[in-house]
Amino acid sequence: MPTSFTVVPVEAQGEERGPAERDGQRQEEEEEEEEDEERERSCGDGIARESSPFINSAEMDGGNVYEGKNMALFEEEMDSNPMVSSLLNKLANYTNLTQGVVEHEADEDSKRKEVKVPRMGTFIGVYLPCLQNILGVILFLRLTWIVGTAGVLESFIIVFMCCACTMLTAISMSAIATNGVVPAGGSYYMISRSLGPEFGGAVGLCFYLGTTFAGAMYILGTIEILLTYISPSAAIFKAEEVGEETEAMLNNMRVYGTCIIILMAIVVFVGVKYVNKLALVFLACVILSIIAIYAGVVKTAFDPPDFPICLLGNRTLSKRSFDVCAKFTESNNETRTTTLWQLFCDSSLLNATCDEYFSLNNVVEIQGIPGIMSGVLTDNLWSTYSEKGSIVEKKHQPSVPGSEETKMSGFPYVFTDIMTYFTMLVGIYFPSVTGIMAGSNRSGDLKDAQKSIPTGTILAISTTSFIYLSCIVLFGACIEGVILRDKFGEAVDGNLVVGTLAWPSPWVIVIGSFFSTCGAGLQSLTGAPRLLQAIARDGIVPFIRVFGHGKANGEPTWALLLTAGICEIGILIASLDSVAPILSMFFLMCYMFVNLACAVQTLLRTPNWRPRFKYYHWTLSFLGMSLCLALMFICSWYYALIAMLIAGCIYKYIEYRGAEKEWGDGIRGLSLNAARYALLRVEDGPPHTKNWRPQVLVLLNLNSEQLVKHPRLLSFTSQLKAGKGLTIVGSVLQGIYLDRCTETQKAEENIKSLMGVEKTKGFCQIVVSPNFRDGISYLIQSAGLGGMKHNTVLMAWPQSWKQTENRFSWKNFVDTVRETTAAQQALLVAKNIDLFPTNHERFTEGNIDVWWIVHDGGMLMLLPFLLRQHKVWRKCKMRIFTVAQMDDNSIQMKKDLQMFLYHLRLNAEVEVVEMFENDISAFTYEKTLMMEQRSQMLKQMQLSKNEREREIQSITDESRGSIRRKSHSRPQSIGQDAQALLTNDYREEEAQLIHDRNTASRSAPVVKASVAAAVSEKVQMTWTKEKFIAEKHKKDSNVPGFKDIFNMKPEWGNLNQSNVRRMHTAVKLNGVVLNKSQHAQLVLLNMPGPPKNRKGDENYMEFLEVLTEGLDRVLLVRGSGREVITIYS
C-alpha cells in the first residue's frame, strides 16, 4: 500500500515560529554551547586535559579527522588520547616517550632529536667494556703481593668475597636495567629512579667520587710503573740516605701525577672522541698481558725462567745494590771480597768487622720462579702478615739469628713498606672488581639493552672472576713466596713480579700494564664529569647546578675542572695502597644501594616492577647488600663511617634544599607501605593522655582570588606544632566541583605555597560544597585517615560577623562550635589573628596569660607549654589566673594550684582573682537590651537584598550623629571589683543598629538611654534600690532633650534574665581580664559553649565579643571533654 510522507527540514520547523521566538531560542542555544565549551576547556568531566606527546597539533587543526570513521564512538577522546595504531610505531622505536618518562631525561625541556638506530651488540657494547674496566692496575701491580702476604687460601677468600659481591650486584642491576627502557645514565639513573632523588643524589655523588678517585689510582699506578720498572732514572727526588726511598718515591708520585693529570684533562677537554677510539687499543693491551701470563705459567711446567734470588740466611736481599750473590769470590787462587761484603762490613779486607748476622749466615741463591710442578704451592698456602719495616724472610730456610739491634740497620734487605693484615688487603683488592656498570652506562647505544646488559655484565664478571681466582692459584704454584711478598721486585733486579712469570718477556706485562692504566685513567676522567653533569642537570642538588653547563656541544667543562681538582687530592695522597680503600668505600656504597633498590622493589611488589631478567630474588639482593656493608667495614671501619657521613649529609641536604622530584621511586612506595602499616597499627580511638598532642585541623578563609585571608593562622599553627603531630589545612569553596575544579587546584597550590613559606608541615584538603557551612562540616567529619585524625580545630574569629552578607557569618561560626563539640574535638579560636606574630618575630619579654575559669581537660595548661617550645614565644613567662567566688578560700586555691602545676612540671606564676557577687550594672542592661533588640530586628526583616542594604545605610546614617555624641562619654568604672575598659568599635555598632520600617523608631530611645547612662563618670552604675532613688532625684540635671534612663525600666523588665546574667558575667570578667592582662602578649580564655536553644545564637556572639573586648591577642579555648595532660610519668 503506497504511503505518502513529507520530509520537513529542521530549518523549516524553526521558520514556522515567530522571528522573536527563533532569535530567543538561538541565543539560548548559543549560550548553552558556549557554557559547554567553556566547561570542557576548564574541566569537562572533572579530568584535567593534558597535552599528549603523541598528538601532533598540526594534524588536529583541520577539524575532526575521525568523523565518519569506525571509531566515531571515541572521537571525543582523541583530544587527549591517541589511537593505538598511531602510538605503537613510536613506542617500538623509542622515538617518543610517554608522559612519566619525560622527566627522566637530562634535558627534559629541549626539543627531542631523532635517535640514531643503535647497532652495538652484547659483546662489543657490554662484555668488552666491562672486561676493560674490571681488569686493571691491581691485577698487575698488587695481586702477586696480596697472594704472597695473605697466602693462597685467604687470597682466594678475598677474591671470592669481592667477586660474589659484584655478581650479586650484577643480578640486582640486571633486574633494574631490564625493568623498562633505561636511558643513558647508568647506575646513577637506576638508583635515583628506584630509590628517589635523595638516595639517588647521595649515591650518585658517592659513585662520582669513587670514579674520580679511581682515576687518581690509575694515574698513581701509571707513575709507579714508569718510575719503578720502565725508567727509574727519571725520578726527580732521590733518596740521599738509607730509609728515605719511600718518601722520595711519594714526592715523585705527586710531581709526576700532577703533570699527568693536567695533560690528561687537556686531552679529555680537546678530544673525547679520540679517547673513546683508543679504548679498544687499551683493552687489547690488557688481553695480551693476561695471555702472556697464562703462556708463562704453561712454560714454567717444562722450562722455568731464570730469576735467581739472593738470600742471607733466610733474609731476602735487594739486588739493586750488588751484582754477585756471594761474600767473596775466588779468582786466580786469590780470594776477593764482593760488593755485598762491603755493604755489611766496614772494609773490603777479609779481617774486617762485619755485621753479626752476616758473619753467622751463609749467602745462598735460589730460583725465584721454580715452576708450577715444583710444589711451592704448599709453602704459599698460608698467610705471612708483617709489621711495617720488617724484612721479607723465607719460611723453612735455615738461619742463625743475630742481634736484634742490627736487624733493622741500613743493609740491602727487602723491607715491607706497610703493615699488612687481612682487612687492609680486602680494601686494596676491591677496586680490581669494580667496573661492572660499564655496560649499563652505554645502555643508550645498545641494540637490545634489556638482553645485552644482563648477559654481557654477568658473563664479564664470570670471566674476570675466573681470571682472578686462577691467577691466585697459579701465582702461588709458580712463584717463590719471598718474591710474591716483594712488592716492587727488588729481589729480581727491579722487575715487575708478575712480569717475571710472563712469556715471552717481562716487558710485555710492563708495557701492557702501562698503557692499560693510562687508558683507565683517561676513561675515568671522561666518565666522571659526565656523571656529575647528569646529576647537576637533574637539579636535585642545588649547589652543583653550575656543573651542568659546558661547551656548546655539551661537553662538561666545569665538571671536568672539578673532577681534575678532586683527582689531584688523590694524587697528593700519593700512595696507591692508601687511595684504593677510599674508592672501595664509594663503590661499595653504590653497589649496596643497587641491591637495596632491587630488594625494595621486589618486596613492595609495585605494579611497575616487571623486569625481563627473571633470575633474581629479594634474598639475593639482600645478601648482596649485606655483603657490601660488611666489606665496607672489613676494608676500613673509619673510611666506611666517613663515606656514610658524606652520603648522609648529601641526603639530608637534598631532603632540605633539593628540588622535589616524583620519579615513582621505591622509597616513596616503601613510605606508603610503612604509612599503611602504621595506620593499621594505630588504634582507631583516642590515644593515651601521655601521648596526646593537638592534631590540628586549620580552617582557612580564602578570598575571591583563592588567596589565604589570614596567613598568620598558619604561622601560629607552626609555632604551636613545631613540625610534630598531624596538621591538616582545610578550606571550603562554595559551588559545584565540576565548575570549580580549576579554582580548587589554584587554591591548593596557594595554600601549599604558603605552608612552605610558614614552614607548616602538614596536608592540604580543599572541599567544594554548595553550602559553606556543609563544607566545614564535611571537613570536621572526614579529614584525616584511620587513627590519624585531627582532635583539634583551629580557626580565626569572624571579625565582620555582624555583616549579614559575610559567607562565614555568625551562624556558620556557631554551628562550627557545635559540631566540634559533637565530634568531641577541641576548638581554638584566634581573635585578632592578624596581630599575632610571624615566625620571624621574637618576643624578648612579656607574658602568656591563662584564664582558667572552667576545667576543660588541661588544654589551657598544655597550649602555653607547647607555644613556649618555639623561639617566638620562648622568652615569654606563663601566668595562670583563676577566679574565686564568694564562698571560695582564695589562699588555699592558690596553694592547691601551685601544687598542681608542680606535679605537672610546669613553671608558671599563679594568681587567684576574687570576683564577688554584686548587682548588675546599668551598662550590662543596656548591652543586653541592644543585643536583644538587634536580634529581634533581624528576625523581623523580610526585605530583599537591595532593600535591606538601603535600609541599613539609611539607619546607620541616621544614627551616626548620636553615636558620635555618645563617644564623648564612656563608662570608666562599672561594679565594685572590675574596670570596664570597653573600647567599642563604632563601625560595628553602626551595623548593629539595623531596623525595619516598623521598628526603626525604637532605636532613638535606646541610643539616648545608652548615652544618658554614661553622662557622668562619677555615677555608680550598680542597680540597687538606694542608688535608684538617688539617681531619680538627679534626673533634672541630665542633658535636656533626653528621656530619663530609668523610664526604660519596663523594657529592662522584659529582658531575658538568662541573657542579662550572661552579659553580666561577660562584662565583669572582661573588666577583670583587662585589669590584669591588657598588656600580655597572648591571653588564653575558656570559651563558653553556645546556647542549647538555637534562637539565641546571635546573642552568643555578642557575649564572646564583650568578653574579649579590648584585648590584642586572644585564643579562645574549648576542650574536647577528655583529659589531655597528666601528672603521672
Side-chain angles (χ1 to χ4, degrees):
M1 179 178 177
T3 303
S4 62
F5 59 92
T6 305
V7 178
V8 180
V10 177
E11 291 82 357
Q13 295 177 5
E15 290 173 0
E16 294 176 2
R17 302 175 183 176
E21 188 178 353
R22 287 199 308 270
D23 293 341
Q25 185 185 11
R26 287 173 184 166
Q27 185 175 0
E28 290 177 1
E29 291 175 352
E30 289 174 359
E31 290 178 354
E32 289 176 0
E33 290 176 358
E34 288 176 359
E35 289 176 1
D36 291 340
E37 290 175 1
E38 180 65 29
R39 181 175 294 184
E40 287 180 8
R41 281 195 298 267
S42 60
C43 289
D45 55 356
I47 302 173
R49 300 301 186 193
E50 299 176 349
S51 59
S52 173
F54 305 102
I55 299 298
N56 189 346
S57 59
E59 296 175 359
M60 301 303 294
D61 292 340
N64 190 356
V65 297
Y66 300 99
E67 186 175 358
K69 300 293 180 67
N70 294 330
M71 293 292 120
L73 180 61
F74 297 93
E75 60 187 11
E76 291 184 0
E77 301 295 321
M78 301 306 173
D79 294 337
S80 59
N81 301 322
M83 288 293 293
V84 174
S85 57
S86 65
L87 168 67
L88 290 177
N89 185 48
K90 296 176 180 179
L91 277 179
N93 292 329
Y94 189 50
T95 57
N96 208 335
L97 298 178
T98 57
Q99 198 168 23
V101 184
V102 175
E103 65 267 22
H104 297 334
E105 297 300 309
D107 193 9
E108 56 190 30
D109 296 327
S110 63
K111 191 175 182 180
R112 295 194 179 277
K113 301 177 181 178
E114 282 297 319
V115 179
K116 293 189 294 185
V117 179
R119 297 295 180 189
M120 296 175 68
T122 302
F123 187 75
I124 299 295
V126 180
Y127 180 74
L128 290 182
C130 287
L131 216 61
Q132 178 189 359
N133 281 267
I134 295 174
L135 300 172
V137 61
I138 300 295
L139 171 64
F140 302 119
L141 295 184
R142 293 291 182 270
L143 190 59
T144 54
W145 173 70
I146 291 173
V147 173
T149 304
V152 172
L153 293 180
E154 291 186 22
S155 300
F156 199 90
I157 293 173
I158 292 173
V159 175
F160 182 79
M161 277 197 311
C162 296
C163 292
C165 175
T166 55
M167 180 61 78
L168 292 172
T169 304
I171 292 173
S172 300
M173 184 193 72
S174 299
I176 297 173
T178 57
N179 187 47
V181 177
V182 181
S187 59
Y188 162 69
Y189 176 88
M190 289 188 292
I191 295 171
S192 62
R193 271 57 177 182
S194 298
L195 294 180
E198 293 87 1
F199 277 111
V203 180
L205 285 177
C206 285
F207 189 57
Y208 162 75
L209 291 174
T211 308
T212 306
F213 275 102
M217 184 188 72
Y218 291 132
I219 292 172
L220 290 175
T222 303
I223 303 164
E224 183 176 314
I225 294 170
L226 176 67
L227 296 182
T228 307
Y229 308 114
I230 297 178
S231 178
S233 59
I236 299 174
F237 297 93
K238 307 285 186 182
E240 297 180 358
E241 297 180 7
V242 178
E244 294 183 356
E245 294 86 355
T246 302
E247 189 62 33
M249 185 64 179
L250 293 180
N251 289 330
N252 288 321
M253 290 272 197
R254 296 183 179 105
V255 174
Y256 276 97
T258 304
C259 297
I260 289 179
I261 199 171
I262 293 173
L263 183 63
M264 285 187 173
I266 294 173
V267 170
V268 172
F269 178 77
V270 173
V272 178
K273 55 184 179 180
Y274 301 113
V275 177
N276 294 329
K277 288 179 180 179
L278 289 173
L280 286 177
V281 177
F282 299 141
L283 177 60
C285 294
V286 175
I287 294 175
L288 287 175
S289 300
I290 293 172
I291 293 173
I293 292 173
Y294 282 110
V297 170
V298 173
K299 183 175 178 293
T300 61
F302 53 87
D303 185 17
D306 183 26
F307 279 99
I309 308 168
C310 190
L311 299 178
L312 177 61
N314 64 350
R315 299 178 181 178
T316 310
L317 297 175
S318 173
K319 298 188 73 173
R320 292 179 184 271
S321 306
F322 62 92
D323 298 326
V324 180
C325 182
K327 293 184 179 180
F328 37 78
T329 59
E330 296 285 340
S331 178
N332 299 325
N333 295 325
E334 182 181 355
T335 303
R336 295 183 179 180
T337 57
T338 61
T339 308
L340 181 61
W341 177 281
Q342 298 175 13
L343 292 173
F344 283 91
C345 303
D346 57 3
S347 71
S348 59
L349 301 177
L350 290 173
N351 59 354
T353 304
C354 297
D355 175 64
E356 181 183 2
Y357 187 86
F358 181 78
S359 303
L360 294 175
N361 291 276
N362 296 324
V363 176
V364 295
E365 196 171 53
I366 64 172
Q367 196 58 247
I369 303 180
I372 194 171
M373 307 300 292
S374 63
V376 74
L377 178 64
T378 55
D379 294 333
N380 294 330
L381 280 178
W382 311 108
S383 60
T384 310
Y385 298 116
S386 57
E387 297 289 331
K388 180 181 178 180
S390 60
I391 301 174
V392 176
E393 298 177 344
K394 178 175 169 51
K395 300 176 185 177
H396 313 303
Q397 180 74 15
S399 66
V400 179
S403 61
E404 293 295 325
E405 290 78 12
T406 61
K407 183 177 181 179
M408 302 306 296
S409 302
F411 298 122
Y413 296 123
V414 177
F415 296 96
T416 56
D417 60 335
I418 56 174
M419 183 175 68
T420 53
Y421 44 91
F422 179 81
T423 57
M424 186 266 292
L425 296 180
V426 175
I428 292 176
Y429 173 76
F430 188 81
S432 65
V433 297
T434 60
I436 62 174
M437 303 288 186
S440 61
N441 290 344
R442 301 174 181 228
S443 56
D445 300 327
L446 299 174
K447 186 184 300 182
D448 185 0
Q450 297 191 6
K451 179 182 177 182
S452 297
I453 289 177
T455 306
T457 305
I458 293 175
L459 192 59
I461 293 175
S462 302
T463 304
T464 53
S465 299
F466 171 78
I467 291 173
Y468 282 127
L469 293 172
S470 62
C471 282
I472 286 174
V473 176
L474 295 176
F475 290 163
C478 296
I479 305 175
E480 182 62 50
V482 289
I483 299 295
L484 290 174
R485 294 193 296 277
D486 183 7
K487 184 186 292 185
F488 302 109
E490 295 180 18
V492 286
D493 298 324
N495 283 303
L496 184 61
V497 174
V498 70
T500 61
L501 182 63
W503 180 86
S505 169
W507 285 100
V508 176
I509 299 292
V510 172
I511 301 301
S513 61
F514 178 78
F515 283 112
S516 170
T517 50
C518 274
L522 280 172
Q523 291 285 353
S524 297
L525 283 180
T526 304
R530 279 160 179 73
L531 177 59
L532 181 62
Q533 187 182 43
I535 300 172
R537 285 184 173 177
D538 259 344
I540 57 174
V541 187
F543 70 87
I544 65 168
R545 284 178 182 167
V546 65
F547 299 108
H549 306 295
K551 294 192 293 187
N553 60 352
E555 293 299 321
T557 308
W558 295 107
L560 177 61
L561 290 176
L562 179 65
T563 303
I566 298 175
C567 222
E568 178 64 20
I569 297 175
I571 296 297
L572 293 178
I573 295 175
S575 173
L576 188 146
D577 300 323
S578 300
V579 173
I582 297 176
L583 64 101
S584 294
M585 292 301 115
F586 293 124
F587 278 119
L588 279 167
M589 184 168 292
C590 178
Y591 297 164
M592 180 177 71
F593 281 104
V594 169
N595 287 293
L596 175 63
C598 182
V600 166
Q601 298 277 27
T602 307
L603 289 174
L604 288 179
R605 296 188 179 94
T606 53
N608 191 51
W609 181 246
R610 304 184 300 274
R612 288 193 176 277
F613 182 78
K614 300 300 182 183
Y615 305 102
Y616 72 94
H617 195 268
W618 68 267
T619 53
L620 295 177
S621 300
F622 188 79
L623 179 62
M625 182 184 70
S626 304
L627 190 55
C628 289
L629 186 63
L631 284 174
M632 286 178 67
F633 283 93
I634 286 174
C635 293
S636 175
W637 64 269
Y638 48 89
Y639 276 166
L641 292 178
I642 292 172
M644 287 182 169
L645 180 64
I646 293 172
C649 291
I650 298 171
Y651 178 93
K652 296 305 292 184
Y653 177 80
I654 296 174
E655 186 181 53
Y656 179 67
R657 293 289 304 276
E660 289 290 333
K661 296 284 184 181
E662 176 52 68
W663 286 332
D665 51 86
I667 292 299
R668 184 65 57 91
L670 186 63
S671 301
L672 290 174
N673 255 22
R676 183 186 67 88
Y677 178 76
L679 283 172
L680 292 174
R681 291 292 302 270
V682 173
E683 296 180 4
D684 191 6
H688 192 275
T689 304
K690 290 185 286 188
N691 295 328
W692 194 95
R693 65 166 60 247
Q695 319 284 10
V696 181
L697 168 64
V698 186
L699 298 179
L700 291 182
N701 224 354
L702 305 178
N703 59 18
S704 59
E705 296 180 355
Q706 314 310 327
L707 297 175
V708 179
K709 282 188 176 180
H710 304 294
R712 300 287 178 91
L713 205 58
L714 288 180
S715 303
F716 182 72
T717 304
S718 62
Q719 294 161 20
L720 179 65
K721 300 286 293 177
K724 304 294 190 300
L726 175 69
T727 301
I728 302 174
V729 181
S731 186
V732 176
L733 296 182
Q734 199 163 349
I736 300 174
Y737 181 71
L738 288 180
D739 296 334
R740 305 208 62 182
C741 64
T742 305
E743 289 93 330
T744 303
Q745 294 171 0
K746 181 180 178 182
E748 189 170 353
E749 290 174 1
N750 292 338
I751 291 177
K752 286 183 177 179
S753 175
L754 184 62
M755 290 173 67
V757 171
E758 298 293 343
K759 298 180 180 178
T760 305
K761 298 180 179 179
F763 309 98
C764 176
Q765 188 168 349
I766 306 293
V767 171
V768 180
S769 171
N771 186 299
F772 191 78
R773 175 186 172 278
D774 290 344
I776 295 293
S777 179
Y778 299 156
L779 277 175
I780 292 175
Q781 293 178 62
S782 62
L785 182 65
M788 286 295 288
K789 292 182 70 70
H790 61 280
N791 55 28
T792 306
V793 177
L794 172 62
M795 59 193 301
W797 171 263
Q799 295 289 351
S800 55
W801 64 272
K802 296 180 182 178
Q803 299 176 7
T804 57
E805 296 305 321
N806 190 331
R807 61 178 179 176
F808 198 85
S809 62
W810 54 270
K811 189 66 177 171
N812 291 335
F813 177 81
V814 178
D815 286 339
T816 303
V817 176
R818 284 197 175 97
E819 285 173 352
T820 55
T821 304
Q824 296 183 341
Q825 296 172 3
L827 177 65
L828 307 178
V829 179
K831 190 176 181 186
N832 300 326
I833 185 62
D834 294 329
L835 299 179
F836 276 57
T838 64
N839 290 328
H840 303 292
E841 297 181 35
R842 302 287 183 274
F843 287 135
T844 56
E845 58 182 359
N847 300 312
I848 299 177
D849 287 356
V850 177
W851 284 85
W852 193 20
I853 311 299
V854 180
H855 180 59
D856 58 351
M859 277 282 286
L860 284 170
M861 309 292 182
L862 186 61
L863 291 176
F865 170 77
L866 295 175
L867 281 175
R868 291 182 69 241
Q869 306 303 307
H870 197 275
K871 47 194 171 185
V872 172
W873 305 92
R874 189 165 294 159
K875 295 186 178 180
C876 293
K877 295 180 180 178
M878 180 177 168
R879 299 193 303 181
I880 296 181
F881 298 89
T882 189
V883 177
Q885 301 296 323
M886 285 288 294
D887 299 334
D888 295 329
N889 185 343
S890 58
I891 298 176
Q892 187 62 37
M893 281 180 64
K894 185 172 182 178
K895 290 181 179 179
D896 293 342
L897 183 55
Q898 287 174 335
M899 181 59 66
F900 180 59
L901 291 176
Y902 175 78
H903 287 306
L904 288 177
R905 290 92 64 199
L906 295 176
N907 296 321
E909 297 180 15
V910 175
E911 187 170 344
V912 178
V913 178
E914 297 178 347
M915 198 165 73
F916 300 108
E917 291 289 339
N918 56 0
D919 293 334
I920 299 173
S921 65
F923 181 77
T924 301
Y925 279 108
E926 282 303 321
K927 294 289 288 186
T928 309
L929 179 61
M930 293 173 65
M931 177 185 71
E932 290 198 356
Q933 284 182 341
R934 176 181 179 276
S935 175
Q936 186 66 23
M937 293 168 201
L938 287 173
K939 292 176 183 177
Q940 293 177 357
M941 290 181 68
Q942 301 295 333
L943 304 178
S944 65
K945 179 179 178 181
N946 294 334
E947 291 173 329
R948 192 181 308 150
E949 290 178 352
R950 288 198 298 271
E951 185 71 18
I952 293 171
Q953 187 63 39
S954 63
I955 293 174
T956 52
D957 290 342
E958 180 181 337
S959 61
R960 185 173 289 120
S962 61
I963 291 177
R964 286 173 180 168
R965 289 192 297 274
K966 174 184 171 185
S967 63
H968 291 295
S969 61
R970 299 294 292 166
Q972 299 296 323
S973 176
I974 298 175
Q976 298 174 353
D977 60 342
Q979 296 180 6
L981 303 176
L982 303 173
T983 308
N984 291 325
D985 187 84
Y986 295 109
R987 294 182 181 272
E988 295 184 1
E989 290 194 23
E990 291 178 14
Q992 187 177 352
L993 296 170
I994 303 173
H995 309 270
D996 60 14
R997 292 185 178 89
N998 297 326
T999 59
S1001 61
R1002 298 180 61 185
S1003 62
V1006 175
V1007 176
K1008 293 175 183 177
S1010 62
V1011 173
V1015 168
S1016 174
E1017 297 180 1
K1018 299 179 181 179
V1019 176
Q1020 185 70 32
M1021 301 299 291
T1022 304
W1023 191 248
T1024 61
K1025 182 177 180 180
E1026 293 79 7
K1027 285 166 184 164
F1028 167 76
I1029 297 172
E1031 290 296 326
K1032 188 159 185 169
H1033 286 301
K1034 293 181 181 179
K1035 70 177 184 176
D1036 295 333
S1037 62
N1038 288 338
V1039 179
F1042 283 83
K1043 291 185 179 181
D1044 184 14
I1045 180 175
F1046 301 101
N1047 289 340
M1048 298 296 296
K1049 183 178 179 182
E1051 294 191 20
W1052 287 2
N1054 294 331
L1055 293 176
N1056 186 323
Q1057 292 303 308
S1058 175
N1059 287 342
V1060 172
R1061 290 196 307 272
R1062 291 169 184 266
M1063 184 63 76
H1064 175 63
T1065 302
V1067 170
K1068 286 197 64 180
L1069 191 55
N1070 176 258
V1072 173
V1073 173
L1074 279 175
N1075 185 32
K1076 298 289 185 181
S1077 304
Q1078 188 173 18
H1079 301 293
Q1081 303 292 6
L1082 179 64
V1083 176
L1084 283 80
L1085 274 169
N1086 279 116
M1087 182 178 181
K1092 296 181 179 179
N1093 184 2
R1094 292 177 178 269
K1095 296 180 180 179
D1097 286 354
E1098 62 273 17
N1099 300 338
Y1100 173 68
M1101 298 295 293
E1102 191 69 46
F1103 294 144
L1104 295 181
E1105 192 74 64
V1106 172
L1107 179 63
T1108 58
E1109 199 165 10
L1111 298 172
D1112 289 339
R1113 303 182 193 91
V1114 183
L1115 187 66
L1116 295 172
V1117 181
R1118 183 161 176 76
S1120 60
R1122 58 158 294 166
E1123 294 293 329
V1124 300
I1125 193 169
T1126 178
I1127 63 175
Y1128 299 105
S1129 61

